[in-house]
Amino acid sequence: MNSRLRNEIFRKIIHLFASVIPLGYYLIFPNRSLVVIILFLCSVFSVAIEIGRTRLPRLEYIFKHWFNPMLRDYESRGEITGATWLLIGSCLTIGLFSKEIAVPALLFLTVGDTFASIVGITFPMGRIKGKTISGSITGLILSLAVILPIMHEINAVILILGGVAAMLIELSPIPLNDNLTIPVLSGFIMLSGSQLL
C-alpha cells in the first residue's frame, strides 16, 4: 500500500469517526441548542489552535509532530485543516436545519465523503479535477445504506435527493472546503425538497 493511500485511509477513518456528531445528536443528545453550543466552542478552540500554530513555533512543532502524516499539503502550509472545517460545518448544519435534515446531511459528509475518497483513490474511474465518479457513486450508495434504515422522520425520496446533491457537491470543484459545503448545501436541497413534496 503506497503512503498516499495509507495516509488518506487513516485520515478518512478519523473523518468517519466524526459520525459520532450526527449520531450522538440523533440518538443521545436531543437538545439542539446544547449541541450547537458545544460545537461552537469546539470550533472556536480549533480555530484558535489553527491561528496559534502559524504564529507560535512551539505549538507548530507539537501540531506537526502529532498530525503531520494526516495533513494535506495546503494544511501543512498553514491553511485551515479539514477537521476545523468539519466542526464549523457541523455547527452550522445543526444550527440551520431541523434534526431530520441535519443528521443525514452530516452523515452524507462523514460516511459518503469518506468512501468517495478511498474508492476514488483505489479504483479511480471517471476523473473530474481530482475527484472520481466511481468514488462519488460509492459514497452515495454507502451513505444511503446507513441513513435510510435509521431516518424514518423524513421521506426517503428527500434523503436520496440529499445524497445525490451531496455527492455532486463532493464531485464539484467548489473552492470552499467540502466539509462545509456538503452538509450545508445538501441540507438546503433537502429542506427545499421537503417543502415541495
Side-chain angles (χ1 to χ4, degrees), residues 16-159:
L16 185 62
F17 182 71
S19 296
V20 299
I21 296 173
L23 292 176
Y25 175 45
Y26 184 60
L27 299 170
I28 303 170
F29 301 105
N31 188 318
R32 179 183 183 184
S33 299
L34 177 61
V35 173
V36 169
I37 289 169
I38 291 170
L39 288 172
F40 176 77
L41 293 175
C42 289
S43 298
V44 170
F45 177 76
S46 189
V47 169
I49 294 293
E50 298 274 10
I51 294 170
R53 76 183 177 99
T54 63
R55 300 184 180 184
L56 303 172
R58 179 63 179 167
L59 182 57
E60 180 185 19
Y61 172 80
I62 293 170
F63 189 90
K64 286 191 173 180
H65 176 74
W66 286 102
F67 301 112
N68 203 50
M70 293 180 290
L71 297 178
R72 294 202 169 119
D73 290 341
Y74 68 89
E75 294 171 330
S76 294
R77 293 192 299 268
E79 292 188 35
I80 295 176
T81 62
T84 297
W85 280 118
L86 192 145
L87 285 170
I88 295 169
S90 297
C91 183
L92 283 174
T93 303
I94 293 174
L96 287 170
F97 305 111
S98 62
K99 182 181 290 187
E100 60 267 20
I101 289 176
V103 169
L106 288 170
L107 287 172
F108 289 133
L109 169 65
T110 59
V111 177
D113 185 52
T114 292
F115 289 102
S117 179
I118 292 172
V119 171
I121 292 172
T122 311
F123 306 103
M125 289 184 286
R127 286 190 179 277
I128 301 176
K129 294 191 176 183
K131 304 292 181 74
T132 64
I133 293 173
S134 59
S136 295
I137 290 173
T138 304
L140 172 63
I141 292 169
L142 292 180
S143 58
L144 287 174
V146 171
I147 293 165
L148 287 172
I150 65 172
M151 294 300 301
H152 305 294
E153 299 91 338
I154 186 169
N155 190 312
V157 174
I158 301 301
L159 292 173

